[in-house]
Structure formats: C-alpha cells, structure tokens
C-alpha cells in the first residue's frame, strides 16, 4: 500500500539488500545505440557517465527486458557538492518494434514519487510506446535497482498493519511516525543525503542521460508525478526535447496537500454526473452523493471492524472501515468505477463487503518495492511547505462540506504529512519547483474524467503557459489513462508522429462504462 503514490496497482516485492544481485547475469547486456560509456558533462557542469551492463533481474520476468539494452547512469548525488559521492540509476532501452524506427526515442518518467519504474514496462509496451521508436526507461534516483535504493520496509510493514487500525487515530499516527524515524535513521546512517532526492536533481539526471546516450532529440512521456517531473525538466533543460506528453497531470507549480482535495472533488463529481446521465443508474441510485456523505459521517463516528479475507488469498485479517478509509479507497480507485454506486448502496444497506475486501488487499505486505525515501524527500520539500494544517482542512471543507473535520483534516492518501515532514527534515524547495514552465515545445495533456487524484481540469490551467498544447479528456477513466484506454493510446501515438497536429477524433465517441446495477 503506497499512500503517497499517484498511481494504482499492486507493488511487487523487493528489498534494498538485493541491489547488488539486481545487476547479475541476464541475457540482455549490450549497450544502447549511440551510448557513450565515457564521462560527460551534465547540465550543472558536473561529470556523469553511462555504464553499459546487464538488465535488472525482476521478481516477475519482464519479456521486454530480454531484448533490452541496459546499464546504469552514474551521477553525483548532490550536484551542489562537487566531489561528493555518486549514485547509480538503472536504465533500459527497449528496442522499437518497427523495422524502421524513428530516430527520436521516447523516454518515460514514472509516477510516485518513488514508484517502481521497471514494473511499468509491460504497461508501456502493451500501450505501444515502443511501436515506432525506442523506449527509454530510467529509474528515478533512489528507486528499486538503483544504488542506493531508498526503500523503507518499515513503512511497508506499517501500511500492511494499518488496515486494521482507525485511519487517523493517535496510535495510527504514532506507528507511522515510528516507521518514518526508523527508515530515516537507517538511510542517513548509510550516508544518504536526503535533501538531494528532489525534482530538480531528478530532472538533471534525465538531461544527463540524453547526453550520455548521445541522443540528439527525444520525446518525453510522464504520468502523475512523472508529469510533474516532466514539467520541471521542460523548464530547466529544454535542449533536445521534441515533444512532451503529460498523462494525469500533477502540475509542479500547484501540487500541495490542499490540491489533493480539489482532485477528489472533481473526480467524484464527474462520477455522480455520469450515474445521473445513465437511466438505470439514476433510477437505482437516485441519491448517490447524499448516500456517500451519510456513510462517511456514519463510519467516522462508528467505525466497522470486520475479519475479511484479502482478495489475493490467505486467511482473514482484521479490517477497520471508517470514514477516512472509505474516502481513501475511493480516491485510490480500489473499487472499479462501474461498481462504486453499487458498493455505496450496499454499504448503506449494511453490506460493507466490497469496501472491506478492498481495504483488506492492503494487508498483504509488499516490502521494498516503493522508494518511500524519495517519496518523503519530494513531498516534504516540494508539496508540504508554505501552507498550514488549517489550509488543508479548509480545502476539504470547500470540497466536501458535509464530511466531518476528522476526515477533512488529512489530505486523501497523504495522512499525517506535517508530522512526517518534521521527522524527515529536508529543506523547503517550493520557490525552486513551483514555477510554471513557458515553452513552445509541443505538448499533449491526457486526463481521465474519473481521476480522483489529479483532476482533469488541471490540464487546461497548466496549458496556459504552453501555447503548443493539445488537451484531451477521456470519459470514465481514472489515474494513468494511456494503459487503460485504446483511444488514448491512439492519441499518444498520433502525437508522437505529429506533435503539432495529433488526431484526437476517437475521444468524441467515448463515454463512461455502464454502472453495475444490483437488485434492491
């Protein structure tokens, strides 16, 4: 369970101590085309280099890595400290499926921050990202397969335990902060400079990668935090960028804890409207918003405690279902959109099983996959500073005035962040990153109207300083649109072929999938 990450999906087990083995023998070991394994001067005038090597050995085989060309990018941990230690970032180049690929590859920036990048490769390949050009994937600093790996097994174990705890109780907060303290102490004892794991350094890493691979020009595709990073990259290192596609935009100039409430409201409002527009849904669930509001209040006042078997299998586990858990499950899309009205109705009728099973899914620990160290360093330096706890509460009240303050005081999926950041103790970087890029580089914004993490309307706001923009909203799709929508895949492919005139016609005929209608 990755509370901070702006993406869906189960994590894959891994451990930081396995890093040395991660570059063990595999069948893929050749260097990328045009790779320069010598030293290059990065954007800050600091030396970096690409070193060819084997592909990582992943917990589950990734077919595309069998023919990939891999290695790692060696960069300074902190470019402001010349002569300091270097770190290594895992890189894979997935060859184009076409016999005559375009010369400009596409580089992927994953979500999170802290999301495991290589685990995304099957989704990228199935979405056609390497159909006509090479696909370049680099793990952001601190990710699994990097050296160092900023995983926090302590937090993974806490998240697995937390399904049986009230969401925002003092004991829950204490257990989370204890895990954060343990992780921070372990990472800093190994010499990790936590202040160096931020979007500015991440962007410089990608600029160095392009130079080190000898690539004259490439395209950028980023989703969620990766779109946030892509904006920073476009602003600071525009050289060599042909086009940029943003999927589920999280604008660098706007992301904060209050921002999370706006996204939740927009996504839920779109779901309410879609149900009202479908005759069967409107007839069966005529008061969906009122029913949900009642359940959030009721569960926060009187939480349910159940024993539920996780959907992954295994023995039943204790699950606490309160108002905070209900909201977080909806925002995380733990219940498929088509089932949400039915699940809310069932809950109101004393049948909480759908939500309880979704909550139980988080009890199966996935240890070591997510780089919580990178997550905390970015969140605490770029998202949390410059607003107060009352700003979060007031944003929640504006979005959901019928919900209790106990729920609204914590941004969805970002609980106890003020307290976490006091422990993590990294410098405030908001003045550095909360800057809107101004660029004529062609850009594409793809957003889903069901997204409760990063609302679709942020695309139009972000595009105001990017005159070469095309914005697309895909109905009924949640966070990370392209892997979920064949139409979005067509739009992205068209954009990569013709960045100034992508074909978006397929969007016009789309709508929400029919909702599940249960008997009364």
């Amino acid at each position: 369970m990755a509370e901070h990450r702006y993406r869906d999906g189960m994590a894959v087990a891994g451990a930081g101590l396995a890093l040395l083995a991660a570059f063990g023998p595999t069948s893929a070991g050749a260097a990328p085309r045009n790779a320069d394994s010598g030293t290059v001067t990065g954007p800050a005038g600091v030396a970096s280099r690409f070193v060819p090597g084997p592909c990582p050995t992943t917990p589950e085989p990734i077919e595309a890595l069998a023919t990939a060309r891999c290695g790692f990018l060696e960069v300074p941990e902190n470019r402001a400290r010349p002569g300091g230690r270097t770190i290594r970032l895992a890189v894979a180049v997935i060859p184009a499926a076409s016999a005559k690929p375009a010369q400009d590859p596409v580089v992927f920036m994953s979500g999170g921050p802290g999301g495991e990048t290589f685990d995304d490769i099957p989704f990228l390949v199935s979405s056609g990202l390497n159909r006509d050009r090479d696909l370049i994937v680099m793990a952001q600093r601190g990710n699994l397969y990097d050296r160092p790996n900023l995983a926090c097994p302590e937090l993974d174990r806490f998240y697995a335990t937390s399904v049986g705890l009230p969401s925002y109780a003092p004991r829950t907060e204490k257990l989370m902060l204890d895990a954060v303290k343990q992780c921070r102490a372990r990472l800093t004892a190994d010499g990790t400079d936590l202040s160096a794991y931020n979007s500015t350094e991440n962007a410089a890493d990608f600029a160095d990668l392009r130079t080190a691979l000898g690539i004259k020009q490439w395209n950028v595709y980023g989703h969620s935090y990766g779109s946030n990073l892509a904006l920073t990259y476009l602003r600071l290192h525009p050289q060599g960028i042909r086009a940029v596609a943003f999927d589920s935009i999280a604008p660098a100039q706007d992301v904060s804890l209050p921002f999370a409430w706006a996204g939740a409201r927009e996504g839920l409002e779109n779901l309410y409207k879609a149900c009202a527009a479908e005759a069967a849904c409107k007839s069966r669930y005529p008061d969906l918003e009122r029913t949900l509001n009642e359940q959030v209040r009721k569960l926060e006042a009187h939480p349910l405690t159940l024993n539920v078997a996780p959907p992954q299998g295994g023995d039943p586990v204790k699950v606490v279902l309160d108002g905070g858990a209900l909201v977080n499950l909806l925002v995380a899309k733990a219940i498929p959109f088509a089932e949400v009205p039915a699940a809310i109705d069932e809950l109101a009728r004393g049948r909480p099983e759908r939500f309880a099973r979704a909550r139980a899914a988080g009890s199966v620990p996935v240890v070591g996959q997510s780089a919580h160290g990178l997550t905390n360093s970015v969140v605490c330096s770029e998202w949390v500073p410059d607003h107060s706890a009352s700003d979060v509460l007031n944003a929640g009240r504006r979005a959901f005035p019928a919900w209790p303050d106990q729920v609204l005081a914590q941004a969805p999926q970002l609980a106890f962040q003020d307290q976490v950041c006091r422990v993590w103790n990294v410098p405030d970087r908001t003045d550095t990153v909360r800057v809107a890029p101004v660029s004529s580089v062609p850009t594409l914004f793809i957003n889903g109207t069901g997204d409760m993490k990063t609302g679709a309307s942020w695309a139009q706001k972000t595009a105001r300083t990017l005159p070469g923009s095309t914005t697309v909203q895909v109905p009924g799709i949640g966070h990370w649109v392209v892997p979920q929508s064949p139409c979005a895949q067509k739009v992205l492919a068209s954009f990569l072929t013709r960045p100034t005139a992508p074909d978006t016609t397929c969007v016009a005929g789309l709508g929400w999938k029919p909702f599940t209608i249960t008997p009364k």
Side-chain angles (χ1 to χ4, degrees):
M1 180 179 180
E3 289 285 325
H4 306 306
R5 292 174 65 185
Y6 280 109
R7 61 169 291 187
D8 301 319
M10 298 298 296
V12 177
L17 295 178
L19 262 183
L20 294 178
F23 287 89
T26 80
S27 61
R33 282 196 289 266
N34 300 322
D36 179 359
S37 59
T39 301
V40 298
T41 301
V46 182
S48 301
R49 65 173 185 154
F50 179 80
V51 180
C55 294
T57 302
T58 57
E60 296 293 331
I62 296 175
E63 184 178 352
L65 289 181
T67 55
R69 300 174 296 277
C70 295
F72 58 82
L73 183 72
E74 188 174 275
V75 297
E77 183 177 50
N78 190 331
R79 289 175 172 83
R81 297 177 182 173
R85 79 170 184 172
T86 58
I87 61 176
R88 292 180 169 185
L89 314 182
V91 177
V93 179
I94 314 298
S98 171
K100 296 181 178 179
Q103 293 303 302
D104 47 278
V106 58
V107 63
F108 173 64
M109 296 183 178
S110 65
E116 203 289 277
T117 306
F118 279 68
D119 192 41
D120 292 336
I121 290 174
F123 300 104
L124 299 172
V125 171
S126 65
S127 298
L129 266 294
N130 71 320
R131 187 185 68 184
D132 298 317
R133 47 185 38 85
D134 288 354
L135 167 65
I136 301 174
V137 174
M138 181 170 73
Q140 295 161 23
R141 50 177 50 208
N143 273 207
L144 189 65
Y145 312 122
D146 290 345
R147 306 178 192 176
N149 167 12
L150 270 59
C152 291
E154 304 89 346
L155 272 169
D156 291 325
R157 289 189 285 269
F158 161 75
Y159 289 132
T161 302
S162 69
V163 303
L165 301 171
S167 297
Y168 304 134
R171 178 167 176 255
T172 307
E173 177 184 348
K174 181 182 183 302
L175 289 173
M176 182 177 186
L177 295 182
D178 286 346
V180 172
K181 291 173 185 175
Q182 293 165 16
C183 180
R184 188 185 196 284
R186 179 175 49 77
L187 293 176
T188 55
D190 289 341
T192 300
D193 178 2
L194 295 177
S195 70
Y197 291 80
N198 57 65
S199 297
T200 302
E201 293 285 3
N202 275 340
D205 293 340
F206 279 92
D208 281 358
L209 178 66
R210 184 185 66 82
T211 304
L213 295 183
I215 295 171
K216 181 179 179 181
Q217 191 176 55
W218 65 9
N219 307 280
V220 179
Y221 169 60
H223 89 90
S224 194
Y225 170 70
S227 71
N228 182 304
L229 176 57
L231 284 167
T232 300
Y233 175 63
L234 176 62
R235 177 171 61 86
L236 298 179
H237 309 288
Q239 302 84 1
I241 300 178
R242 175 176 174 264
V244 185
F246 307 105
D247 187 327
S248 306
I249 185 68
Q253 60 267 37
D254 295 303
V255 172
S256 64
L257 297 188
F259 166 93
W261 279 123
R265 178 67 217 183
E266 182 175 348
L268 264 176
E269 185 67 31
N270 286 336
L271 186 144
Y272 297 148
K273 291 177 180 177
C275 180
E278 181 188 303
C281 190
K282 181 180 180 180
S283 174
R284 178 64 182 81
Y285 314 111
D287 299 307
L288 189 59
E289 181 175 7
R290 179 181 60 80
T291 304
L292 177 59
N293 290 344
E294 290 174 350
Q295 291 308 302
V296 172
R297 291 194 300 267
K298 179 180 177 179
L299 286 176
E300 192 60 23
H302 305 286
L304 295 175
T305 300
L306 310 96
N307 288 316
V308 183
Q312 303 96 311
D315 295 332
V317 297
K318 176 185 173 183
V319 166
V320 172
L321 194 59
D322 57 11
L326 179 57
V327 171
N328 283 314
L329 290 169
L330 288 170
V331 172
K333 199 190 170 186
I335 305 290
F337 289 143
E339 299 178 18
V340 167
I344 293 172
D345 179 75
E346 289 169 351
L347 182 63
R349 295 170 183 268
R351 295 171 51 199
E353 290 80 12
R354 289 190 203 246
F355 283 110
R357 284 195 300 269
R359 178 87 159 139
S363 69
V364 180
V366 180
V367 179
Q369 183 196 32
S370 296
H372 296 295
L374 174 60
T375 303
N376 286 339
S377 287
V378 172
V379 170
C380 292
S381 65
E382 302 175 16
W383 299 4
V384 168
D386 89 346
H387 64 262
S388 65
S390 62
D391 292 332
V392 177
L393 176 59
N394 289 333
R397 287 171 172 169
R398 287 191 297 272
F400 300 100
W403 293 1
D405 283 357
Q406 174 76 1
V407 171
L408 300 175
Q410 306 290 340
Q413 296 198 295
L414 292 160
F416 310 123
Q417 287 307 293
D418 286 331
Q419 300 90 320
V420 166
C421 292
R422 283 195 288 272
V423 172
W424 206 252
N425 190 27
V426 289
D428 180 347
R429 298 185 54 80
T430 51
D431 287 346
T432 302
V433 298
R434 290 196 187 167
V435 181
V438 178
S439 175
S440 59
V441 170
T443 55
L444 171 69
F445 292 83
I446 302 178
N447 294 270
T449 62
D451 193 343
M452 299 183 199
K453 298 182 182 182
T454 55
S457 66
W458 286 99
Q460 285 81 7
K461 301 170 187 175
T462 310
R464 290 170 184 165
T465 61
L466 302 170
S469 294
T470 300
T471 60
V472 170
Q473 289 191 8
V474 182
I477 298 293
H479 206 62
W480 199 9
V481 180
V482 167
Q484 303 179 69
S485 169
C487 174
Q489 294 166 18
K490 293 178 183 178
V491 172
L492 178 57
S494 172
F495 172 73
L496 293 175
T497 300
R498 297 181 302 278
T500 59
D503 182 358
T504 64
T505 54
C506 66
V507 179
L510 299 178
W512 286 65
K513 292 181 179 179
F515 290 98
T516 300
I517 307 300
T518 56
K520 289 187 178 181

